[in-house]
Amino acid sequence: MKKILFQIAFLFFVFQSTKAQEVLRLEDAVQIALKNNYDIRLASTDLKIDEANVGVANAGMLPKVDATFTKNNSIQNSKQTQSNGVERELDNAKNNTTSYGVNLGWTVFDGLKMFARYDQLRSLQKQGETELKLTVMTKVSSVMSSYYDLVQQQHLLKALDTTIVISKQRLKTADNRFIIGKASKLEVLNAQVDLNADISNLLKQKEVFQNAKISFNELLARETDTDFTVVEMGKIDENLQLTELRELVKSQNPELQLALINKKVAESNLKQVKANRYPVVRLNAGYNFNESQSSLGFTSQSTARGLNYGVSASINVFNGFLQHRNEKIAKLQVENSTTLIEQQTKTIDTQLAMAYQTYKTNLELMKLEKENEAIAKRNLEITLDKFKIGTIPTIEFRNAQENYITAIARHTTAKFQAKISEVVLQEITGSIKF
């Protein structure tokens, strides 16, 4: 009998399906999510935009070259009175002008504003990288949590399938005892009622499991009716230390890294505002050609071509105290970013401490529930042996059976919660592997 119970406890539930099911491993699920998830795709595109914005040209360090071409024509009735009193008049006089050339403009000094702008663009790129990492880690954490929940639901299905096998054995035993006159019909009916209750619980659990799979497919951004099975969750890391986790937070937590980057962006913005106090020096050069034709006048045609060059400088002397206002606002933004770093650091440390306490508690519960499952299994084995020979009532056997299933469910839930606690700690420390 013990051998039979041992075999029952390790039976795998066979799902009713008309087609072969995909065996979906956690690593595969994560890769599918990384490829298909909409939030990750949007964040990836945003990062590409930030990367494209980083450049010396966008910072204003390079010269600008323009090629120009202009041609104007006019037909006018003209009348001219010269200084000697002679009048000249011509109807439909034609005047044509043509000009073209290449001109260069280059800001060579703007109070180092262009260098601050370039640093800001690089910081914005790092910000995009960190935001993408945060998005990926959040989604991977959701995938892992949902996957482990599916493992838990699948394990509960196996447990319920096991109890149905036991209930069928009980019904068969009760029916045999009734046939030989050692049990009443009431015992058979009770066994049938309990079997039907177990089947009902199994059907409900099937529904929960199928709905969880539909939600998981949605999370992976694939067809919601894709069928699959999951594999058992991996080993839980029981050696995480709070001091080591705190060090990881300082160097890897994406939210804290974003706060630090935002401060750098604010500091670069302050440098750009201060740069407006200094003069702006620009160089200009060009090569141009000009031609004009006139039907009436002292000169009927003229052309000119050649190089022009020069330098210009300007400085803001007074703009209604806007410079002082802009600098004050930029400084306040830097102060705010510093405050946000302190706030974020405190918040994350609190989250970490609470998550670590939950992690330690769940580890203890997992060990306790494992012992309870072993005890409940042994109790059921003894009870079943006694039930076979008719030395215990039906209700006592049913209680032992329900206690065993409950112990399995509690142990499964405890393992799930412990694994989720580990995932939460990895997410906070930014150490989720994907």
Side-chain angles (χ1 to χ4, degrees):
M1 185 56 61
K2 293 180 182 179
K3 183 177 180 181
I4 294 175
L5 280 176
F6 179 80
Q7 293 174 343
I8 292 173
F10 287 93
L11 281 176
F12 288 93
F13 184 80
V14 179
F15 298 100
Q16 296 179 352
S17 178
T18 58
K19 59 181 180 180
Q21 288 181 318
E22 169 193 7
V23 178
L24 184 64
R25 299 182 180 278
L26 177 59
E27 296 81 2
D28 299 330
V30 168
Q31 292 304 316
I32 293 173
L34 293 178
K35 179 181 178 181
N36 296 341
N37 186 268
Y38 299 112
D39 291 336
I40 294 177
R41 289 161 62 183
L42 290 172
S44 298
T45 302
D46 290 339
L47 175 58
K48 292 178 181 178
I49 295 174
D50 293 333
E51 291 173 344
N53 282 330
V54 178
V56 292
N58 198 25
M61 295 181 180
L62 297 182
K64 181 180 179 182
V65 179
D66 295 317
T68 61
F69 176 85
T70 303
K71 184 175 179 62
N72 293 316
N73 302 305
S74 66
I75 300 176
Q76 298 176 333
N77 294 329
S78 301
K79 182 178 180 180
Q80 296 180 352
T81 301
Q82 299 179 353
S83 59
N84 58 6
V86 178
E87 292 185 354
R88 301 181 65 186
E89 184 175 355
L90 179 62
D91 292 337
N92 297 320
K94 296 181 178 179
N95 299 288
N96 303 319
T97 60
T98 302
S99 65
Y100 54 86
V102 178
N103 297 283
L104 176 146
W106 189 4
T107 301
V108 294
F109 181 76
D110 61 354
L112 304 180
K113 183 178 182 178
M114 61 182 74
F115 296 98
R117 173 61 178 163
Y118 184 72
D119 289 340
Q120 187 179 53
L121 291 173
R122 293 173 59 185
S123 295
L124 290 174
Q125 179 187 354
K126 292 181 180 179
Q127 184 183 66
E129 293 171 352
T130 307
E131 287 175 345
L132 175 59
K133 180 181 179 181
L134 177 59
T135 302
V136 169
M137 288 186 58
T138 301
K139 294 304 174 183
V140 170
S141 176
S142 298
V143 169
M144 294 175 70
S145 299
S146 299
Y147 187 91
Y148 292 136
D149 179 61
L150 283 170
V151 173
Q152 175 188 214
Q153 301 301 330
Q154 183 172 269
H155 200 273
L156 291 176
L157 272 177
K158 296 174 184 178
L160 291 173
D161 188 55
T162 298
T163 196
I164 287 177
V165 174
I166 296 174
S167 294
K168 287 182 178 179
Q169 283 192 336
R170 172 192 165 195
L171 176 61
K172 182 178 179 181
T173 300
D175 191 55
N176 290 336
R177 293 178 61 190
F178 172 73
I179 292 174
I180 63 177
K182 290 189 176 181
S184 65
K185 186 64 175 178
L186 181 60
E187 183 175 321
V188 177
L189 295 175
N190 285 334
Q192 184 64 59
V193 169
D194 290 338
L195 174 60
N196 291 342
D198 293 336
I199 295 175
S200 176
N201 291 333
L202 178 64
L203 292 175
K204 292 178 182 178
Q205 182 58 33
K206 277 186 178 181
E207 178 186 3
V208 172
F209 184 60
Q210 291 298 327
N211 288 337
K213 289 203 292 185
I214 292 173
S215 298
F216 192 68
N217 281 327
E218 181 185 13
L219 182 62
L220 300 186
R222 64 179 188 172
E223 295 298 327
T224 55
D225 60 351
T226 303
D227 204 5
F228 62 93
T229 58
V230 293
V231 298
E232 293 296 323
M233 67 181 69
K235 185 179 179 181
I236 300 171
D237 188 353
E238 301 182 23
N239 300 315
L240 298 178
Q241 300 297 322
L242 185 57
T243 53
E244 297 176 358
L245 295 174
R246 283 195 168 118
E247 290 301 318
L248 288 175
V249 165
K250 294 178 182 179
S251 60
Q252 297 185 180
N253 180 270
E255 293 177 332
L256 182 58
Q257 295 303 311
L258 277 176
L260 293 170
I261 293 173
N262 287 334
K263 182 182 178 182
K264 291 182 179 179
V265 172
E267 290 172 344
S268 297
N269 183 62
L270 176 59
K271 291 180 181 179
Q272 293 179 68
V273 173
K274 286 184 175 181
N276 292 327
R277 289 185 175 274
Y278 298 90
V280 177
V281 180
R282 295 184 178 90
L283 300 179
N284 59 81
Y287 187 88
N288 296 281
F289 172 84
N290 295 286
E291 180 183 32
S292 64
Q293 296 177 348
S294 177
S295 299
L296 183 67
F298 291 104
T299 304
S300 62
Q301 183 176 354
S302 67
T303 60
R305 68 181 68 193
L307 178 67
N308 60 81
Y309 53 90
V311 61
S312 66
S314 64
I315 187 171
N316 173 34
V317 179
F318 179 74
N319 62 351
F321 303 107
L322 288 179
Q323 179 65 28
H324 176 73
R325 167 188 170 276
N326 293 337
E327 287 186 17
K328 182 178 180 180
I329 292 175
K331 289 178 181 178
L332 290 174
Q333 290 174 338
V334 174
E335 291 179 9
N336 273 347
S337 62
T338 302
T339 303
L340 287 173
I341 291 175
E342 296 174 358
Q343 181 187 34
Q344 195 70 36
T345 301
K346 191 65 176 179
T347 300
I348 295 174
D349 187 68
T350 301
Q351 293 174 348
L352 179 64
M354 295 175 65
Y356 186 76
Q357 184 58 52
T358 302
Y359 162 77
K360 297 297 289 184
T361 301
N362 286 332
L363 288 181
E364 294 298 324
L365 288 174
M366 182 181 67
K367 295 176 182 178
L368 177 63
E369 297 302 340
K370 181 179 181 180
E371 295 177 359
N372 286 339
E373 180 181 343
I375 294 172
K377 178 182 177 183
R378 178 58 180 161
N379 181 57
L380 179 60
E381 292 172 349
I382 296 173
T383 304
L384 184 58
D385 289 339
K386 291 183 178 181
F387 179 75
K388 282 287 187 178
I389 60 178
T391 59
I392 61 171
T394 301
I395 189 171
E396 186 174 337
F397 173 78
R398 182 61 177 177
N399 287 337
Q401 181 185 6
E402 291 179 342
N403 289 339
Y404 176 58
I405 299 304
T406 300
I408 293 177
R410 289 173 59 178
H411 184 208
T412 301
T413 301
K415 288 194 294 184
F416 169 72
Q417 294 296 338
K419 193 64 178 179
I420 294 302
S421 298
E422 179 187 345
V423 173
V424 170
L425 289 174
Q426 291 175 346
E427 182 178 5
I428 293 175
T429 57
S431 58
I432 290 182
K433 297 179 180 179
F434 45 87

